[in-house]
Amino acid sequence: MNARPDAHQIWMGPLSPIAEGGLARPRIGIGGISIESSTFSPHVSGDEAFTVRTGAELRAYYPFLDAGRELADAAEWVPLVHGRSLPGGAVDPGTYRRMKDAIVAGIREQGPFDGFFFDIHGAMSVIGMVDAEGDLARAVRNALGPDTLISTSMDLHGNVSEALRDEVDLLTCYRMAPHEDWLNTKERAVHSLLARLRGADGGDPLRRRPLKAWVPVPVLLPGEKTSTRLEPARGIYAQLPEIEKLDGVVDASVWIGYAWADEPRCQAYVVVTGDDREVITRESERVARMFWDAREDFVFVAETATLDGALAKALSADAARPYVISDSGDNPTAGGAGDVTWTLGELLERTELVDGTRMTLVASIFDSEAVAAAVQAGVGETVTLTAGARVDDGPRGPLQITGQIFSITDGDLDAGTQVVIAVGGLHTIITQRRKPFHRLDDFRMLGLDPENADIVVVKIGYLEPELYDLAADWTLALTPGGVDQDLLRLGHRHLAAGVYPFDPAGSPALTAVVGRRGEESHAC
Ligand SMILES: [Zn+2]
């Protein structure tokens, strides 16, 4: 969930002067698709999942292109089409094709372009495909032609396949998880693109293209082990600005990769771009080695336990309150369906939670039919609802819940109508549509008081700031679902050979593949 940041968070310095032979006001197209989608979630992300921006609305999505900013006037910007979705299940192939066709048509109708800002996440799974961004990059490149410089902005949970690498010229990704620098990263991609276009090329478009040193690192870790606030990720990411200060380097980036798709491209990557072949090769291989050597040191950002273990702590006499339990396997902001019933089923079977001696809040499951039935019954009525597991029936199917309707709230943009059903002190939120619960107001608007609850259970991974502040204590529960944090029990079958921890005995060479797009060979 990204808020629009304040202007002061935008950090790039002034553009370099226009060199002789450089382009004073290049034409730059903008387009892309941004989603991370789990192939382990049965949820399908269709047209309704995407916000598609075009034209002025798309340009306004990038405040660094607002009128008056240096970048705004440094190019003729041509915003085409961009689709963005919350994380979810794999994308419907028709939905993908429609967005891709719209981007390609925009390029053909409004080109030619000197540059292209390719704004993607990098972990889009499309049903029937194994490298959606590689496919999209190829289509964009074919439409643009060979001379257009493509600069790509990505999430560090994206993957850099060979196809993607070969079609674009510049690649960068976030350096912070949580992604506080999401907009800075997009600005950096645009800034680097302009710098290349303004530089001298002597009339030779090939010279504008930087060299790329690309090193796949066969390690695949869940996001909850790779927060850049903690070592070893913090130290690895701290290398990048230092590398960029070296002569002959344009950008240095590290991708953690996306753990919840079963595709051969899913692993970590290091890419350093620039003009000095020796330096970018050396630095990319050095950081890749650092990552590989640290692979066993990545640990969960919080105490983890099974749900039973988390409940034992939350129910103990001296437990701090409110005690927050993260139901991490079905986290909708990582791609979980959001209607896995396993955890709620376990809670309903606990006498201590339903006997009225404690206040427990559970956020949430979505089920439009259960919501409709509750609305028909009305607040205060006792009903039996069948809820959840319509998308992901997981280890438990739909649940029968008999309880009293505590509240009904209409009109939430994400959730639609929301119902709270109380079974003793166990208050479960059922929403019409999928919604992540990150803020205390998400609870308060339903008449719930999280600060005075004993236990709060949320489908989330690491706690978002308000929940983190709420929690007197908390446990990341390793629950089942489409984004199960226990990767080894998910059953990946299509990863590349030797990826840790699936294959703990690997010993990769970690040799950079170095080249410039269009050169005869990509080999070093
Ligand atoms: Zn991410």
Side-chain angles (χ1 to χ4, degrees), residues 102-121:
I103 295 167
V104 166
I107 293 170
R108 293 200 192 284
E109 285 160 17
Q110 301 200 52
F113 296 109
D114 303 301
F116 192 80
F117 172 38
F118 190 40
D119 185 9
I120 59 175
H121 181 291

Side-chain angles (χ1 to χ4, degrees), residues 220-280:
L220 190 59
L221 298 165
E224 273 63 15
K225 282 188 177 176
T226 48
S227 168
T228 58
R229 292 172 179 168
L230 301 172
E231 296 296 347
R234 180 166 59 184
I236 292 168
Y237 278 87
Q239 304 296 311
L240 305 180
E242 299 306 314
I243 295 171
E244 281 180 9
K245 287 179 191 156
L246 301 173
D247 279 346
V249 175
V250 171
D251 183 276
S253 293
V254 173
W255 285 257
I256 299 291
Y258 185 60
W260 296 289
D262 189 12
E263 298 173 352
R265 63 179 177 155
C266 294
Q267 58 178 311
Y269 297 87
V270 178
V271 180
V272 181
T273 48
D275 295 302
D276 188 321
R277 185 180 289 265
E278 194 184 318
V279 170
I280 66 170

Side-chain angles (χ1 to χ4, degrees), residues 198-523:
R198 290 159 78 95
D201 59 35
D204 175 9
L206 197 64
R207 283 186 49 199
R208 275 187 208 150
R209 305 176 192 169
L211 292 159
K212 293 167 281 184
W214 172 88
V215 192
V217 183
V219 173
L220 190 59
L221 298 165
E224 273 63 15
K225 282 188 177 176
T226 48
S227 168
T228 58
R229 292 172 179 168
L230 301 172
E231 296 296 347
R234 180 166 59 184
I236 292 168
Y237 278 87
Q239 304 296 311
L240 305 180
E242 299 306 314
I243 295 171
E244 281 180 9
K245 287 179 191 156
L246 301 173
D247 279 346
V249 175
V250 171
D251 183 276
S253 293
V254 173
W255 285 257
I256 299 291
Y258 185 60
W260 296 289
D262 189 12
E263 298 173 352
R265 63 179 177 155
C266 294
Q267 58 178 311
Y269 297 87
V270 178
V271 180
V272 181
T273 48
D275 295 302
D276 188 321
R277 185 180 289 265
E278 194 184 318
V279 170
I280 66 170
T281 303
R282 182 191 72 212
E283 293 301 313
S284 62
E285 292 180 353
R286 183 177 67 79
V287 174
R289 175 62 57 188
M290 197 175 166
F291 195 130
W292 173 258
D293 288 346
R295 66 193 179 283
E296 291 176 12
D297 302 333
F298 292 92
V299 292
F300 283 111
V301 296
E303 191 184 331
T304 58
T306 60
L307 183 64
D308 276 349
L311 284 172
K313 284 199 70 182
L315 290 167
S316 70
D318 58 349
R321 291 161 204 291
Y323 197 101
V324 178
I325 296 174
S326 161
D327 177 9
S328 66
D330 190 31
N331 172 13
T333 45
D339 77 339
V340 173
T341 56
W342 185 83
T343 298
L344 179 57
E346 299 285 311
L347 300 175
L348 285 164
E349 288 173 4
R350 292 293 192 114
T351 316
E352 314 95 296
L353 296 177
V354 298
D355 64 5
T357 56
R358 288 179 179 74
M359 174 62 77
T360 302
L361 311 182
V362 184
S364 58
I365 54 174
F366 75 92
D367 189 317
S368 61
E369 288 178 35
V371 167
V375 168
Q376 193 160 29
V379 173
E381 296 301 315
T382 296
V383 293
T384 297
L385 301 176
T386 302
R390 302 211 187 254
V391 173
D392 190 341
D393 61 3
R396 261 183 203 267
L399 290 178
Q400 279 221 332
I401 310 171
T402 300
Q404 192 177 31
I405 305 301
F406 173 82
S407 70
I408 297 172
T409 309
D410 282 329
D412 185 76
L413 274 177
D414 293 317
T417 301
Q418 306 178 79
V419 167
V420 178
I421 182 168
V423 183
L426 186 72
H427 289 64
T428 299
I429 302 165
I430 308 176
T431 60
Q432 193 180 354
R433 297 188 297 268
R434 222 158 65 101
K435 171 182 173 166
F437 280 72
H438 287 178
R439 297 176 310 120
L440 299 188
D441 280 348
D442 295 334
F443 293 88
R444 291 181 186 131
M445 71 185 289
L446 310 177
L448 301 170
D449 180 5
E451 279 152 319
N452 287 308
D454 296 296
I455 302 171
V456 179
V457 182
V458 189
K459 288 186 190 291
I460 199 169
Y462 42 59
L463 298 184
E464 293 291 320
E466 287 193 22
L467 293 173
Y468 187 83
D469 291 342
L470 170 75
D473 198 357
W474 74 289
T475 298
L476 184 89
L478 300 174
T479 51
V483 290
D484 195 327
Q485 296 284 330
D486 187 349
L487 297 183
L488 294 178
R489 68 184 178 192
L490 277 169
H492 291 76
R493 290 185 299 122
H494 302 291
L495 296 178
V499 172
Y500 175 88
F502 301 86
D503 177 357
S507 62
L510 302 176
T511 304
V513 175
V514 188
R516 190 192 317 271
R517 185 173 55 81
E519 278 184 346
E520 284 304 306
S521 159
H522 236 93

Side-chain angles (χ1 to χ4, degrees), residues 36 121 155 157 179:
E36 64 183 339
H121 181 291
D155 186 306
H157 297 117
H179 305 321

Side-chain angles (χ1 to χ4, degrees), residues 9-324:
Q9 282 183 266
I10 297 172
W11 64 24
M12 299 303 296
L15 284 167
S16 52
I18 299 159
E20 201 172 330
L23 300 176
R25 201 161 181 275
R27 289 193 88 227
I28 301 181
I30 304 174
I33 304 176
S34 181
I35 182 174
E36 64 183 339
S37 37
S38 167
T39 61
F40 295 101
S41 166
H43 176 258
V44 175
S45 298
D47 288 6
E48 72 293 340
F50 284 87
T51 301
V52 177
R53 292 180 173 88
T54 60
E57 193 193 1
L58 175 54
R59 179 167 177 157
Y61 182 53
Y62 306 106
F64 48 82
L65 298 183
D66 284 352
R69 292 192 174 272
E70 188 189 20
L71 292 181
D73 297 326
E76 181 192 340
W77 299 100
V78 186
L80 300 173
V81 179
H82 185 266
R84 181 175 181 277
S85 168
L86 285 179
V91 178
D92 176 86
T95 297
Y96 169 68
R97 200 175 321 108
R98 280 186 284 281
M99 289 189 288
K100 170 181 159 183
D101 290 351
I103 295 167
V104 166
I107 293 170
R108 293 200 192 284
E109 285 160 17
Q110 301 200 52
F113 296 109
D114 303 301
F116 192 80
F117 172 38
F118 190 40
D119 185 9
I120 59 175
H121 181 291
M124 169 168 59
S125 301
V126 176
I127 293 167
M129 303 178 75
V130 294
D131 179 11
E133 279 87 358
D135 178 76
L136 185 62
R138 205 176 294 119
V140 164
R141 170 58 69 196
N142 285 340
L144 289 168
D147 291 345
T148 307
L149 217 59
I150 300 181
S151 182
T152 310
S153 166
M154 297 176 69
D155 186 306
L156 61 81
H157 297 117
N159 312 288
V160 187
S161 67
E162 292 180 38
L164 175 61
R165 174 199 74 194
D166 288 350
E167 300 298 351
V168 306
D169 299 284
L170 294 150
L171 303 108
T172 195
C173 68
Y174 306 155
R175 291 172 180 174
M176 298 172 80
H179 305 321
E180 295 165 58
D181 64 334
W182 68 280
L183 199 44
N184 306 83
T185 304
K186 296 181 196 297
E187 185 185 8
R188 190 167 64 241
V190 164
H191 202 277
S192 301
L193 176 60
L194 279 165
R196 295 306 291 189
L197 292 170
R198 290 159 78 95
D201 59 35
D204 175 9
L206 197 64
R207 283 186 49 199
R208 275 187 208 150
R209 305 176 192 169
L211 292 159
K212 293 167 281 184
W214 172 88
V215 192
V217 183
V219 173
L220 190 59
L221 298 165
E224 273 63 15
K225 282 188 177 176
T226 48
S227 168
T228 58
R229 292 172 179 168
L230 301 172
E231 296 296 347
R234 180 166 59 184
I236 292 168
Y237 278 87
Q239 304 296 311
L240 305 180
E242 299 306 314
I243 295 171
E244 281 180 9
K245 287 179 191 156
L246 301 173
D247 279 346
V249 175
V250 171
D251 183 276
S253 293
V254 173
W255 285 257
I256 299 291
Y258 185 60
W260 296 289
D262 189 12
E263 298 173 352
R265 63 179 177 155
C266 294
Q267 58 178 311
Y269 297 87
V270 178
V271 180
V272 181
T273 48
D275 295 302
D276 188 321
R277 185 180 289 265
E278 194 184 318
V279 170
I280 66 170
T281 303
R282 182 191 72 212
E283 293 301 313
S284 62
E285 292 180 353
R286 183 177 67 79
V287 174
R289 175 62 57 188
M290 197 175 166
F291 195 130
W292 173 258
D293 288 346
R295 66 193 179 283
E296 291 176 12
D297 302 333
F298 292 92
V299 292
F300 283 111
V301 296
E303 191 184 331
T304 58
T306 60
L307 183 64
D308 276 349
L311 284 172
K313 284 199 70 182
L315 290 167
S316 70
D318 58 349
R321 291 161 204 291
Y323 197 101
V324 178

